[in-house]
């Protein structure tokens, strides 16, 4: 263990804004197993490795995103321990384990001379039974510890029933992101930009202003440090081109350069690209498809973002014939297509009301009615929108699943917080009902349309 002074020095010099997490890691370093969780690319792995390197504790990190079954994971753990213990360059053959007992008997033959921590990284990508994690937790000892690292803002379902210490990493604030990025050498000034008497201080001020600008533009959509790094590098090329073409000075013309730069800035396109990269794993793998509930939540969030709240009763009314005539009349009136506008912020409660309405209008609901013969949705009336809100149903919309699924979609950036200041540091389910907290959909039309087709839901009839 490190002393408080050592942990504080580590936080100040190498791991800023993570003193609380470092202190928790330090106090739990003697524990058998620990869960570390939080949003993507906010320094979980970096903080953990920095701490372990300073303590001289031996650790082996396994990336679970490339593991497809239990046998491969057990073999990976055994092989890494064998290489480490017997100082082998590689294992001659890959072992196959038929069950946990077989793995444990082979593991007992390895005589660990020093304590080793096995870190299972990207736990959320591992589509395995919770029994496996219980097994790792139970066999953890002083000599061999299993730590779990997950890029989710809620505790993974596989670990909910396991009583282990948990360390949560909150997202960085906008100000903290700026400070962290300023310490990285992300910007290089071309010689053409530095014409005239440009000092080092001028470059520092200009760099600071530019990074603050990019963070302010994209912070409503992401807290992912890697995302900001990509956007800074990508937009710096465009920004310097504007400076050179207009012969601007980096000493005095930052505002002029920004106004010209903003004309070529397309946030919608950049977000489409980020969505595609963030959801590639989810959408390409049959084993990791979004659940039925997640698709309904995304559709409801899209409708809440692109429909005006004053039209909710008209669009989602149970008087279907009146609703359809009114919607067709408004759609054919020549008004600007709402899909061409930017998404508007919505409250979680309003999205729930829309969710209940579209769920009952889908083919999926009709099939469940045919199977069960009764409406199993419990409703309450929402006075703000005049709609009924489905808060509790059978397997599709139980309260716990609904909150968990919605929080997961937020962590995946498919839904983003529109006012992060109102919810800074908060990750509890109760905070979703906070009237100050609002969200925006972060999915493009083609993706939402695909999900609608999957569920037998005609989303075109619900957009004005």
């Amino acid at each position: 263990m490190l002393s408080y002074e050592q942990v504080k020095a580590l936080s100040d010099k190498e791991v800023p804004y993570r003193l609380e997490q470092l202190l928790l890691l330090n106090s739990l370093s003697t524990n058998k197993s620990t869960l570390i969780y939080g949003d993507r690319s906010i320094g979980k792995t970096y903080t953990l490795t920095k701490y372990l390197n300073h303590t001289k504790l031996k650790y082996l990190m396994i990336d679970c995103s490339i593991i497809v079954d239990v046998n491969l994971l057990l073999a990976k753990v055994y092989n890494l321990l064998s290489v480490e213990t017997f100082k082998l360059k590689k294992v001659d053959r890959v072992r196959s384990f038929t069950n946990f007992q077989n793995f444990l008997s082979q593991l007992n033959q390895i005589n660990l001379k020093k304590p080793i921590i096995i870190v299972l990284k990207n736990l959320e990508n591992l589509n395995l039974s919770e029994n496996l994690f219980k097994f790792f937790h139970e066999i953890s000892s002083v000599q061999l510890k299993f730590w779990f690292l997950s890029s989710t803002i809620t505790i993974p379902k596989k670990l909910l029933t396991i009583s282990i210490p948990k360390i949560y990493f909150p997202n960085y604030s906008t100000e903290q992101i700026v400070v962290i990025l300023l310490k990285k050498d992300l910007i290089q000034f071309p010689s053409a930009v530095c014409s005239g008497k440009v000092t080092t201080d001028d470059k520092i001020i200009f760099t600071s202003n530019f990074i603050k600008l990019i963070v302010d533009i994209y912070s409503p959509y992401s807290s992912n440090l890697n995302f900001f790094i990509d956007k800074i590098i990508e937009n710096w090329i465009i920004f310097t081109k504007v400076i050179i073409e207009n012969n601007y000075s980096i000493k005095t013309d930052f505002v002029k350069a920004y106004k010209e730069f903003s004309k070529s800035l397309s946030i919608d396109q950049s977000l489409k690209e980020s969505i595609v990269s963030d959801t590639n794993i989810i959408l390409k793998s049959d084993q990791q498809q979004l659940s039925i509930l997640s698709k309904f939540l995304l559709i409801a969030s899209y409708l809440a973002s692109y429909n005006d709240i004053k039209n909710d009763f008209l669009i989602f009314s149970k008087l279907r014939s009146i609703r359809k005539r009114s919607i067709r009349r408004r759609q054919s009136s020549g008004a600007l297509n709402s899909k061409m506008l930017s998404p508007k912020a919505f409250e979680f409660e309003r999205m729930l009301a829309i969710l209940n309405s579209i769920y009952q209008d889908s083919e999926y609901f009709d099939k469940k009615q045919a199977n069960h013969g009764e409406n199993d949705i419990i409703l309450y009336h929402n006075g703000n929108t005049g709609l009924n809100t489905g808060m509790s149903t059978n397997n599709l919309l139980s309260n716990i699943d609904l909150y968990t699924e919605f929080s997961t979609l937020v962590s995946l950036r498919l839904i983003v917080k529109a006012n992060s200041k109102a919810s800074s540091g908060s990750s509890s389910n109760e905070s979703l009902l906070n009237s100050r907290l609002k969200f925006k959909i972060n999915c493009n039309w083609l993706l939402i349309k695909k999900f609608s087709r999957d569920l037998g839901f005609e989303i075109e009839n619900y957009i004005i």
Side-chain angles (χ1 to χ4, degrees), residues 121-153:
K121 180 184 175 183
N122 292 321
L123 190 67
E124 70 281 0
N125 294 325
L126 198 58
N127 190 22
L128 300 176
S129 166
E130 66 181 53
N131 292 331
L132 176 66
F133 303 102
K134 287 182 180 179
F135 172 71
F136 283 141
H137 174 61
E138 290 169 0
I139 68 172
S140 294
S141 62
V142 175
Q143 290 296 98
L144 179 62
K145 307 172 185 185
F146 286 89
W147 286 14
F148 310 112
L149 200 157
S150 176
S151 292
T152 55
I153 62 174

Short mmCIF file of all heavy atoms in Angstrom, two decimals, residues 121-153:
data_model
loop_
_atom_site.label_atom_id
_atom_site.label_comp_id
_atom_site.label_asym_id
_atom_site.label_seq_id
_atom_site.Cartn_x
_atom_site.Cartn_y
_atom_site.Cartn_z
N LYS A 121 -10.63 -6.74 -18.27
CA LYS A 121 -10.98 -5.44 -18.84
C LYS A 121 -12.08 -5.60 -19.89
O LYS A 121 -12.23 -6.64 -20.51
CB LYS A 121 -9.73 -4.83 -19.47
CG LYS A 121 -9.93 -3.47 -20.12
CD LYS A 121 -8.64 -3.02 -20.79
CE LYS A 121 -8.85 -1.72 -21.55
NZ LYS A 121 -7.63 -1.31 -22.28
N ASN A 122 -12.85 -4.53 -20.11
CA ASN A 122 -13.97 -4.53 -21.07
C ASN A 122 -14.97 -5.65 -20.74
O ASN A 122 -15.42 -6.39 -21.61
CB ASN A 122 -13.47 -4.68 -22.51
CG ASN A 122 -12.71 -3.46 -22.97
OD1 ASN A 122 -13.08 -2.34 -22.65
ND2 ASN A 122 -11.64 -3.66 -23.72
N LEU A 123 -15.31 -5.71 -19.47
CA LEU A 123 -16.19 -6.76 -18.98
C LEU A 123 -17.56 -6.74 -19.66
O LEU A 123 -18.19 -7.78 -19.85
CB LEU A 123 -16.35 -6.58 -17.48
CG LEU A 123 -17.04 -7.69 -16.70
CD1 LEU A 123 -16.20 -8.94 -16.71
CD2 LEU A 123 -17.30 -7.23 -15.27
N GLU A 124 -18.02 -5.54 -20.05
CA GLU A 124 -19.36 -5.41 -20.63
C GLU A 124 -19.49 -6.13 -21.96
O GLU A 124 -20.59 -6.44 -22.42
CB GLU A 124 -19.74 -3.94 -20.79
CG GLU A 124 -18.97 -3.18 -21.86
CD GLU A 124 -17.58 -2.76 -21.45
OE1 GLU A 124 -17.19 -3.05 -20.30
OE2 GLU A 124 -16.88 -2.15 -22.27
N ASN A 125 -18.36 -6.42 -22.63
CA ASN A 125 -18.39 -7.09 -23.93
C ASN A 125 -18.38 -8.61 -23.80
O ASN A 125 -18.43 -9.32 -24.80
CB ASN A 125 -17.18 -6.66 -24.78
CG ASN A 125 -17.24 -5.20 -25.16
OD1 ASN A 125 -18.32 -4.67 -25.40
ND2 ASN A 125 -16.10 -4.55 -25.20
N LEU A 126 -18.30 -9.11 -22.56
CA LEU A 126 -18.21 -10.54 -22.33
C LEU A 126 -19.60 -11.11 -22.11
O LEU A 126 -20.23 -10.86 -21.09
CB LEU A 126 -17.31 -10.81 -21.12
CG LEU A 126 -16.73 -12.20 -20.95
CD1 LEU A 126 -15.92 -12.60 -22.17
CD2 LEU A 126 -15.86 -12.26 -19.71
N ASN A 127 -20.09 -11.88 -23.06
CA ASN A 127 -21.45 -12.42 -23.01
C ASN A 127 -21.43 -13.80 -22.33
O ASN A 127 -21.65 -14.82 -22.95
CB ASN A 127 -22.02 -12.53 -24.43
CG ASN A 127 -23.50 -12.86 -24.42
OD1 ASN A 127 -24.19 -12.62 -23.44
ND2 ASN A 127 -23.97 -13.44 -25.50
N LEU A 128 -21.11 -13.79 -21.03
CA LEU A 128 -20.97 -15.03 -20.29
C LEU A 128 -21.86 -15.04 -19.05
O LEU A 128 -22.35 -14.01 -18.61
CB LEU A 128 -19.50 -15.25 -19.88
CG LEU A 128 -18.48 -15.33 -21.03
CD1 LEU A 128 -17.08 -15.43 -20.47
CD2 LEU A 128 -18.78 -16.50 -21.94
N SER A 129 -22.01 -16.22 -18.46
CA SER A 129 -22.88 -16.38 -17.30
C SER A 129 -22.28 -15.71 -16.07
O SER A 129 -21.07 -15.63 -15.91
CB SER A 129 -23.09 -17.87 -17.03
OG SER A 129 -23.66 -18.08 -15.77
N GLU A 130 -23.18 -15.25 -15.17
CA GLU A 130 -22.70 -14.65 -13.93
C GLU A 130 -22.02 -15.68 -13.03
O GLU A 130 -21.23 -15.33 -12.14
CB GLU A 130 -23.85 -14.00 -13.18
CG GLU A 130 -24.90 -14.97 -12.68
CD GLU A 130 -26.03 -14.27 -11.95
OE1 GLU A 130 -26.61 -13.34 -12.52
OE2 GLU A 130 -26.31 -14.67 -10.81
N ASN A 131 -22.27 -16.99 -13.26
CA ASN A 131 -21.61 -18.03 -12.47
C ASN A 131 -20.10 -17.98 -12.64
O ASN A 131 -19.35 -18.31 -11.72
CB ASN A 131 -22.12 -19.41 -12.88
CG ASN A 131 -23.57 -19.63 -12.49
OD1 ASN A 131 -24.03 -19.05 -11.51
ND2 ASN A 131 -24.28 -20.44 -13.24
N LEU A 132 -19.64 -17.57 -13.82
CA LEU A 132 -18.21 -17.47 -14.07
C LEU A 132 -17.58 -16.43 -13.16
O LEU A 132 -16.50 -16.65 -12.58
CB LEU A 132 -17.96 -17.13 -15.55
CG LEU A 132 -16.49 -16.90 -15.93
CD1 LEU A 132 -15.70 -18.19 -15.80
CD2 LEU A 132 -16.40 -16.37 -17.35
N PHE A 133 -18.23 -15.28 -13.02
CA PHE A 133 -17.69 -14.21 -12.20
C PHE A 133 -17.77 -14.56 -10.71
O PHE A 133 -16.89 -14.19 -9.93
CB PHE A 133 -18.41 -12.90 -12.51
CG PHE A 133 -18.31 -12.53 -13.96
CD1 PHE A 133 -19.37 -12.73 -14.82
CD2 PHE A 133 -17.13 -12.03 -14.47
CE1 PHE A 133 -19.27 -12.42 -16.16
CE2 PHE A 133 -17.02 -11.71 -15.82
CZ PHE A 133 -18.09 -11.92 -16.66
N LYS A 134 -18.82 -15.29 -10.33
CA LYS A 134 -18.90 -15.78 -8.95
C LYS A 134 -17.74 -16.73 -8.68
O LYS A 134 -17.14 -16.71 -7.59
CB LYS A 134 -20.24 -16.49 -8.72
CG LYS A 134 -21.43 -15.56 -8.64
CD LYS A 134 -22.69 -16.36 -8.37
CE LYS A 134 -23.91 -15.44 -8.28
NZ LYS A 134 -25.16 -16.20 -8.04
N PHE A 135 -17.43 -17.56 -9.66
CA PHE A 135 -16.33 -18.51 -9.53
C PHE A 135 -15.00 -17.77 -9.34
O PHE A 135 -14.22 -18.10 -8.44
CB PHE A 135 -16.28 -19.40 -10.77
CG PHE A 135 -15.07 -20.30 -10.84
CD1 PHE A 135 -14.93 -21.38 -9.98
CD2 PHE A 135 -14.06 -20.04 -11.75
CE1 PHE A 135 -13.81 -22.20 -10.04
CE2 PHE A 135 -12.94 -20.85 -11.82
CZ PHE A 135 -12.81 -21.93 -10.97
N PHE A 136 -14.74 -16.77 -10.18
CA PHE A 136 -13.50 -16.00 -10.05
C PHE A 136 -13.43 -15.31 -8.68
O PHE A 136 -12.37 -15.23 -8.06
CB PHE A 136 -13.39 -14.96 -11.16
CG PHE A 136 -12.98 -15.52 -12.49
CD1 PHE A 136 -13.55 -15.06 -13.67
CD2 PHE A 136 -12.01 -16.51 -12.58
CE1 PHE A 136 -13.16 -15.58 -14.90
CE2 PHE A 136 -11.61 -17.03 -13.81
CZ PHE A 136 -12.19 -16.56 -14.97
N HIS A 137 -14.57 -14.78 -8.24
CA HIS A 137 -14.61 -14.10 -6.95
C HIS A 137 -14.32 -15.07 -5.81
O HIS A 137 -13.57 -14.75 -4.88
CB HIS A 137 -15.98 -13.45 -6.77
CG HIS A 137 -16.19 -12.85 -5.41
ND1 HIS A 137 -15.41 -11.84 -4.90
CD2 HIS A 137 -17.11 -13.15 -4.44
CE1 HIS A 137 -15.83 -11.51 -3.69
NE2 HIS A 137 -16.85 -12.30 -3.39
N GLU A 138 -14.87 -16.28 -5.90
CA GLU A 138 -14.72 -17.26 -4.82
C GLU A 138 -13.31 -17.83 -4.75
O GLU A 138 -12.83 -18.18 -3.66
CB GLU A 138 -15.75 -18.38 -5.00
CG GLU A 138 -17.18 -17.93 -4.71
CD GLU A 138 -18.21 -18.95 -5.14
OE1 GLU A 138 -17.79 -20.01 -5.68
OE2 GLU A 138 -19.41 -18.72 -4.94
N ILE A 139 -12.63 -17.98 -5.90
CA ILE A 139 -11.28 -18.56 -5.87
C ILE A 139 -10.20 -17.50 -5.64
O ILE A 139 -9.02 -17.83 -5.52
CB ILE A 139 -10.96 -19.33 -7.17
CG1 ILE A 139 -10.85 -18.37 -8.37
CG2 ILE A 139 -11.98 -20.42 -7.42
CD1 ILE A 139 -10.35 -19.04 -9.63
N SER A 140 -10.62 -16.23 -5.58
CA SER A 140 -9.64 -15.17 -5.30
C SER A 140 -9.04 -15.37 -3.92
O SER A 140 -9.73 -15.78 -2.98
CB SER A 140 -10.30 -13.79 -5.38
OG SER A 140 -10.71 -13.52 -6.70
N SER A 141 -7.76 -15.09 -3.81
CA SER A 141 -7.04 -15.29 -2.56
C SER A 141 -6.00 -14.20 -2.40
O SER A 141 -5.93 -13.26 -3.20
CB SER A 141 -6.38 -16.67 -2.56
OG SER A 141 -5.42 -16.75 -3.61
N VAL A 142 -5.17 -14.35 -1.38
CA VAL A 142 -4.11 -13.37 -1.16
C VAL A 142 -3.12 -13.40 -2.31
O VAL A 142 -2.60 -12.37 -2.74
CB VAL A 142 -3.39 -13.65 0.18
CG1 VAL A 142 -2.19 -12.71 0.35
CG2 VAL A 142 -4.37 -13.51 1.34
N GLN A 143 -2.86 -14.59 -2.85
CA GLN A 143 -1.88 -14.75 -3.91
C GLN A 143 -2.44 -14.47 -5.30
O GLN A 143 -1.72 -14.02 -6.18
CB GLN A 143 -1.29 -16.17 -3.88
CG GLN A 143 -0.39 -16.46 -2.69
CD GLN A 143 0.85 -15.59 -2.68
OE1 GLN A 143 0.88 -14.58 -1.98
NE2 GLN A 143 1.85 -15.94 -3.45
N LEU A 144 -3.71 -14.75 -5.49
CA LEU A 144 -4.34 -14.57 -6.81
C LEU A 144 -5.66 -13.83 -6.65
O LEU A 144 -6.60 -14.35 -6.05
CB LEU A 144 -4.57 -15.92 -7.49
CG LEU A 144 -5.24 -15.87 -8.87
CD1 LEU A 144 -4.38 -15.11 -9.88
CD2 LEU A 144 -5.53 -17.28 -9.39
N LYS A 145 -5.71 -12.61 -7.22
CA LYS A 145 -6.90 -11.78 -7.10
C LYS A 145 -7.47 -11.50 -8.49
O LYS A 145 -6.73 -11.38 -9.46
CB LYS A 145 -6.56 -10.46 -6.40
CG LYS A 145 -5.86 -10.64 -5.08
CD LYS A 145 -5.39 -9.32 -4.52
CE LYS A 145 -4.58 -9.58 -3.26
NZ LYS A 145 -4.16 -8.40 -2.57
N PHE A 146 -8.79 -11.41 -8.55
CA PHE A 146 -9.47 -11.08 -9.81
C PHE A 146 -10.18 -9.74 -9.64
O PHE A 146 -11.05 -9.59 -8.78
CB PHE A 146 -10.47 -12.17 -10.19
CG PHE A 146 -9.83 -13.42 -10.71
CD1 PHE A 146 -9.46 -14.44 -9.83
CD2 PHE A 146 -9.58 -13.59 -12.07
CE1 PHE A 146 -8.87 -15.59 -10.30
CE2 PHE A 146 -8.98 -14.74 -12.54
CZ PHE A 146 -8.61 -15.75 -11.66
N TRP A 147 -9.78 -8.77 -10.47
CA TRP A 147 -10.43 -7.47 -10.48
C TRP A 147 -11.19 -7.31 -11.79
O TRP A 147 -10.71 -7.71 -12.86
CB TRP A 147 -9.40 -6.34 -10.31
CG TRP A 147 -8.88 -6.23 -8.91
CD1 TRP A 147 -9.01 -7.16 -7.91
CD2 TRP A 147 -8.15 -5.14 -8.35
NE1 TRP A 147 -8.40 -6.73 -6.78
CE2 TRP A 147 -7.86 -5.48 -7.00
CE3 TRP A 147 -7.70 -3.93 -8.85
CZ2 TRP A 147 -7.16 -4.64 -6.16
CZ3 TRP A 147 -7.00 -3.08 -8.00
CH2 TRP A 147 -6.75 -3.44 -6.67
N PHE A 148 -12.37 -6.73 -11.72
CA PHE A 148 -13.23 -6.58 -12.88
C PHE A 148 -13.32 -5.11 -13.27
O PHE A 148 -13.56 -4.25 -12.41
CB PHE A 148 -14.63 -7.13 -12.59
CG PHE A 148 -14.63 -8.51 -12.01
CD1 PHE A 148 -15.03 -8.73 -10.70
CD2 PHE A 148 -14.19 -9.58 -12.75
CE1 PHE A 148 -15.01 -10.00 -10.15
CE2 PHE A 148 -14.17 -10.86 -12.22
CZ PHE A 148 -14.58 -11.08 -10.92
N LEU A 149 -13.14 -4.82 -14.55
CA LEU A 149 -13.16 -3.45 -15.05
C LEU A 149 -14.20 -3.33 -16.16
O LEU A 149 -14.09 -4.00 -17.19
CB LEU A 149 -11.77 -3.07 -15.57
CG LEU A 149 -11.44 -1.58 -15.69
CD1 LEU A 149 -9.92 -1.37 -15.65
CD2 LEU A 149 -11.99 -0.98 -16.95
N SER A 150 -15.22 -2.50 -15.95
CA SER A 150 -16.33 -2.41 -16.90
C SER A 150 -16.58 -0.96 -17.31
O SER A 150 -16.60 -0.06 -16.47
CB SER A 150 -17.61 -2.97 -16.26
OG SER A 150 -18.72 -2.81 -17.11
N SER A 151 -16.77 -0.74 -18.61
CA SER A 151 -17.06 0.61 -19.13
C SER A 151 -18.55 0.84 -19.22
O SER A 151 -19.13 1.01 -20.30
CB SER A 151 -16.40 0.79 -20.52
OG SER A 151 -15.01 0.81 -20.40
N THR A 152 -19.21 0.82 -18.08
CA THR A 152 -20.64 1.09 -17.98
C THR A 152 -20.88 2.05 -16.82
O THR A 152 -20.13 2.04 -15.84
CB THR A 152 -21.45 -0.20 -17.74
OG1 THR A 152 -20.93 -0.86 -16.57
CG2 THR A 152 -21.34 -1.14 -18.93
N ILE A 153 -21.93 2.87 -16.91
CA ILE A 153 -22.19 3.82 -15.84
C ILE A 153 -23.04 3.20 -14.73
O ILE A 153 -23.30 3.84 -13.72
CB ILE A 153 -22.88 5.09 -16.38
CG1 ILE A 153 -24.24 4.76 -17.00
CG2 ILE A 153 -21.99 5.80 -17.36
CD1 ILE A 153 -25.02 5.98 -17.41
#
